[in-house]
């Protein structure tokens, strides 16, 4: 059964929460982070994207970047922008986006559960992204990025969380610049804390990584690297757990750098063997399973899978698998999307205009829009021990970094 523990969060002074809270480190590149932090020296991006405070000549994976993150974190504490909770607590985190609300429980989950598959995975990770977080956690001593976990909805847990929300005032409540509202309550009553832990231990047999495979894997590898000197904090990692009936998955789209030596005309001809290909007058948002959009040479196309391009098993039926097997691998020679530099991934929150922009810029040759994976598909794949192709799911809204941080050396 799932082990969820309270913890002593490092968190902002209430009046500074909106300034400090930042978008997750992995949804912004360095240049975007610099723009985001202009005029705001209190942004948590100075810790999660600390290369913004170093010369551009410094590689973003250089040890100087991680040392700067540690320096900036210590400075935030010294300036009393952040403080450590006096006792172990749970936290309730509600997000509202476009009128749709979802509420999760923040605690720390067991690294042992991760390694023993009580925390289930549905994706492999990319080695260079893992190593980046390993270096960041080891050097800073902090898990600054939240792992987004899902569990099958449970009426008792839902009722307990809603009761606490109704009875207590939030410690943080603000609307960020992207119009997403973030509200956090502290659960510091010992009876309530014990009741939450017991409910999960008795009623939730497993949890599922929805977003944050790299952060979870890195936490486990950091503990292993520390070895016998590891403090208790390293045995757990920062997680927010959401019931499955509140989650929203968006599309996660693909870009390929080149056409593997094919001309655009030849590529289209090859596609017609596996797909019905029809030019479109505007960007294509797939309307259902086995339908794709493609942007090539200034034109959008609608692709519809022909029989034989997919199977009925949990992995083979996914559109990310259909695209990977029949196009990216077979036609473009991108056999390992985890490591191949000729592929990139664009979350649906950026819109299809981002795909057009990047292809029109000349760095990428073709883009594909996909129909989103469902939460039931995710659970089915994880339960059977299978994995999706990387970057198959994009969850929105995103949790903000900096509101709740877990320290591993204490």
């Amino acid at each position: 059964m799932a082990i969820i523990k309270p913890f002593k969060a490092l968190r902002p002074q209430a009046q500074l929460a909106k300034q400090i809270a930042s978008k997750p480190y992995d949804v912004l590149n360095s240049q975007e982070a610099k723009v985001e932090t202009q005029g705001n020296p209190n942004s948590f991006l100075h810790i999660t994207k600390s290369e913004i405070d170093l010369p551009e000549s410094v590689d973003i994976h250089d040890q100087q970047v991680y040392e700067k993150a540690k320096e900036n974190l210590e400075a935030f504490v010294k300036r009393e922008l952040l403080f450590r909770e006096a006792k172990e607590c749970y936290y309730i985190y509600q997000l509202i986006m476009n009128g749709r609300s979802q509420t999760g429980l923040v605690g720390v989950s067991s690294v042992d559960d991760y390694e023993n598959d009580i925390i289930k995975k549905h994706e492999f990770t990319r080695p260079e992204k893992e190593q980046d977080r390993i270096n960041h956690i080891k050097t800073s001593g902090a898990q600054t990025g939240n792992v987004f976990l899902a569990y099958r909805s449970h009426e008792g847990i839902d009722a307990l969380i809603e009761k606490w929300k109704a009875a207590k005032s939030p410690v943080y409540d603000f609307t960020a610049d992207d119009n997403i509202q973030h509200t956090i309550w502290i659960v510091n009553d010992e009876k309530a804390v014990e009741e939450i832990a017991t409910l999960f231990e008795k009623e939730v047999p497993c949890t599922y990584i929805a977003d944050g495979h790299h952060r979870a894997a890195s936490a486990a590898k950091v503990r292993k690297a520390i070895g016998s000197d590891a403090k208790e904090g390293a045995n757990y990692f920062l997680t927010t757990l959401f019931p499955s009936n509140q989650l929203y998955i968006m599309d996660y789209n693909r870009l390929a750098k080149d056409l593997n030596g094919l001309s655009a005309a030849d590529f289209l001809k090859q596609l017609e063997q596996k797909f019905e290909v029809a030019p479109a007058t505007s960007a294509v948002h797939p309307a259902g399973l086995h339908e794709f959009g493609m942007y090539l040479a200034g034109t959008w196309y609608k692709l519809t899978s022909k029989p034989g391009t997919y199977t009925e098993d949990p992995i083979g039926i996914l559109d990310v698998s259909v695209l990977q097997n029949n196009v990216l691998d077979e036609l473009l020679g991108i056999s390992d999307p985890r490591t191949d530099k000729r592929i990139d991934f664009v979350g649906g929150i950026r819109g299809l205009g981002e795909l057009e922009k990047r292809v029109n810029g000349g760095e990428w040759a073709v883009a594909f829009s996909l129909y989103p994976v469902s939460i039931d598909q995710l659970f089915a794949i994880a339960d059977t021990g299978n994995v999706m192709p990387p970057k198959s799911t994009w969850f929105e809204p995103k949790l903000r970094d900096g509101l709740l941080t877990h320290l591993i050396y204490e």
Side-chain angles (χ1 to χ4, degrees):
M1 305 301 278
I3 298 173
I4 312 298
K5 285 188 58 175
F7 71 110
K8 297 178 181 178
L10 183 69
R11 62 184 183 87
Q13 302 289 348
Q15 71 276 16
L16 299 174
K18 184 175 181 179
Q19 291 180 42
I20 290 172
S22 70
K23 293 175 182 175
Y25 77 95
D26 55 352
V27 303
L28 298 168
N29 61 36
S30 301
Q31 190 56 45
E32 289 169 334
K34 280 188 177 182
V35 172
E36 192 93 359
T37 56
Q38 284 178 358
N40 182 11
N42 296 339
S43 170
F44 205 70
L45 287 169
H46 290 285
I47 294 160
T48 57
K49 300 286 288 183
S50 51
E51 68 269 16
I52 65 176
D53 295 325
L54 295 170
E56 290 188 4
S57 59
V58 177
D59 185 86
I60 62 171
H61 298 125
D62 191 281
Q63 182 60 25
Q64 293 179 65
V65 174
Y66 309 114
E67 296 292 347
K68 189 63 178 177
K70 179 182 179 182
E71 177 188 323
N72 287 347
L73 181 61
E74 291 173 348
F76 272 42
V77 174
K78 186 174 182 179
R79 290 163 54 202
E80 298 185 346
L81 305 178
L82 301 174
F83 70 97
R84 186 81 183 281
E85 199 78 70
K87 61 186 292 189
E88 292 184 341
C89 307
Y90 288 113
Y91 304 84
I92 296 169
Y93 192 157
Q94 175 185 277
L95 303 101
I96 300 177
M97 175 182 175
N98 298 330
R100 188 182 62 81
S101 173
Q102 65 184 57
T103 301
L105 178 74
V106 187
V108 289
S109 293
S110 167
V111 170
D112 286 342
D113 279 1
Y114 174 84
E115 293 181 339
N116 294 328
D117 206 35
I118 293 171
I119 298 172
K120 295 185 177 293
K121 307 89 177 165
H122 66 267
E123 290 184 6
F124 288 127
T125 52
R126 303 181 79 175
E128 72 278 6
K129 293 193 70 175
E130 249 186 50
Q131 192 59 52
D132 171 61
R133 283 305 95 182
I134 290 169
N135 293 340
H136 194 280
I137 295 169
K138 283 181 67 178
T139 304
S140 69
Q143 292 164 352
T144 58
N146 217 311
V147 177
F148 185 157
L149 296 182
Y151 62 93
R152 285 189 168 85
S153 307
H154 185 281
E155 289 184 3
I157 296 172
D158 291 349
L160 183 61
I161 288 175
E162 290 304 316
K163 180 181 177 181
W164 191 270
K165 285 166 58 179
K168 304 293 181 179
S169 298
V171 64
Y172 305 133
D173 188 15
F174 63 91
T175 300
D177 294 341
D178 55 6
N179 293 320
I180 297 173
Q181 184 177 350
H182 301 261
T183 309
I184 291 179
W185 293 260
I186 301 176
V187 183
N188 53 12
D189 175 78
E190 290 183 8
K191 183 179 178 181
V193 166
E194 183 177 350
E195 189 174 358
I196 289 170
T198 300
L199 268 174
F200 272 93
E201 190 171 348
K202 290 185 175 180
E203 302 291 335
V204 180
C206 63
T207 58
Y208 300 81
I209 298 178
D211 192 9
H213 282 81
H214 292 93
R215 295 187 284 277
S218 300
K221 289 184 178 179
V222 165
R223 183 181 73 165
K224 183 176 181 180
I226 297 171
S228 59
D229 293 331
K231 303 288 187 182
E232 181 67 6
N235 292 325
Y236 296 88
F237 60 101
L238 181 64
T239 56
T240 300
L241 299 99
F242 288 93
S244 56
N245 60 357
Q246 296 187 26
L247 298 182
Y248 176 57
I249 305 178
M250 297 186 74
D251 45 308
Y252 213 152
N253 303 313
R254 269 75 170 137
L255 289 157
K257 190 169 285 291
D258 57 66
L259 299 182
N260 199 28
L262 296 171
S263 67
D266 287 340
F267 182 58
L268 286 168
K269 190 172 183 179
Q270 294 278 354
L271 283 172
E272 288 173 351
Q273 297 179 27
K274 297 289 186 76
F275 301 87
E276 295 176 8
V277 180
T281 57
S282 60
V284 177
H285 288 271
L289 203 61
H290 306 328
E291 182 177 303
F292 304 83
M294 181 179 72
Y295 186 65
L296 173 69
T299 300
W300 277 98
Y301 297 85
K302 176 183 172 182
L303 311 182
T304 305
S305 299
K306 292 181 178 179
T309 56
Y310 56 88
T311 59
E312 297 297 329
D313 65 90
I315 297 293
I317 201 167
L318 294 175
D319 281 345
V320 287
S321 298
V322 175
L323 184 72
Q324 176 60 41
N325 295 336
N326 295 281
V327 181
L328 299 178
D329 187 358
E330 186 173 323
L331 299 183
L332 299 182
I334 300 171
S335 58
D336 186 352
R338 290 193 306 135
T339 58
D340 200 310
K341 304 300 184 185
R342 296 171 56 234
I343 188 171
D344 201 8
F345 309 88
V346 178
I349 193 66
R350 289 182 176 262
L352 300 189
E354 179 69 12
L355 300 181
E356 292 183 8
K357 175 184 172 184
R358 295 181 68 177
V359 172
N360 291 341
E363 185 180 354
W364 300 89
V366 62
F368 300 93
S369 57
L370 287 82
Y371 188 69
V373 172
S374 72
I375 192 69
D376 288 336
Q377 286 178 316
L378 186 155
F379 283 175
I381 287 164
D383 283 340
T384 56
N386 287 302
V387 293
M388 300 181 193
K391 304 299 181 185
S392 296
T393 55
W394 182 279
F395 286 85
E396 283 291 344
K398 299 287 187 185
L399 303 163
R400 290 263 159 162
D401 286 346
L403 293 174
L404 300 164
T405 296
H406 177 231
L407 302 180
I408 67 164
Y409 292 141
E410 299 185 24

